[in-house]
Amino acid sequence: MAFQLTPTLLRSIPLLLIALLFLDMNLPVSVEAAGAWILSLIGALLLSTAVTLLISISLLWIISGDGVSQLSPAIVTFFSGMVIPLPLSPDWAQPLFYLLPFRCIIDAPSRLYMGHIPPGEV
């Protein structure tokens, strides 16, 4: 967990401060949205840690782990909404994206922060 939390905090806190101070980024729309956003960040950290752990466990049974180690970040990046925001994906692909757990790493916390989805609907 520390392996994922430390680089994220070192990057996100300065970026958040710069965006709030200089780029007119808004705060969450309500106290409920802010609370849901914080809870979703904790859930995203736990989910990201679980995915990393499952990938590490899978390396025990694979002869060469290079493929899994190189392919898994690309899969997580794509299916979490970092490449294309999930609401902009094609209609036929959205059920797949919403079925996979990767959307809760990036898409759900960011949409909760912006108020695009109500706090109780994730």
Side-chain angles (χ1 to χ4, degrees), residues 30-54:
S30 67
V31 176
E32 293 85 15
W37 175 64
I38 291 171
L39 288 176
S40 70
L41 285 179
I42 293 169
L45 173 66
L46 294 174
L47 179 62
S48 178
T49 303
V51 168
T52 304
L53 182 66
L54 288 174

Side-chain angles (χ1 to χ4, degrees), residues 2 22 33 61 78-79 98 111 114:
F22 301 114
W61 291 288
F78 182 75
F79 286 113
Y98 289 116
R111 292 180 65 202
M114 294 182 289

Side-chain angles (χ1 to χ4, degrees), residues 14-31:
L15 286 175
L16 184 63
L17 290 175
I18 289 170
L20 286 171
L21 295 175
F22 301 114
L23 301 175
D24 295 328
M25 182 177 165
N26 297 327
L27 293 173
V29 294
S30 67
V31 176

Side-chain angles (χ1 to χ4, degrees), residues 51-63:
V51 168
T52 304
L53 182 66
L54 288 174
I55 291 168
S56 298
I57 290 171
S58 73
L59 295 176
L60 293 173
W61 291 288
I62 297 174
I63 295 173

Side-chain angles (χ1 to χ4, degrees), residues 50-111:
V51 168
T52 304
L53 182 66
L54 288 174
I55 291 168
S56 298
I57 290 171
S58 73
L59 295 176
L60 293 173
W61 291 288
I62 297 174
I63 295 173
S64 176
D66 293 337
V68 172
S69 297
Q70 292 176 0
L71 191 59
S72 59
I75 290 172
V76 171
T77 301
F78 182 75
F79 286 113
S80 66
M82 281 198 249
V83 177
I84 299 171
L86 297 185
L88 299 178
S89 62
D91 291 335
W92 58 267
Q94 285 190 7
L96 173 67
F97 289 149
Y98 289 116
L99 183 67
L100 295 173
F102 303 119
R103 81 176 196 98
C104 294
I105 295 174
I106 296 293
D107 183 62
S110 63
R111 292 180 65 202

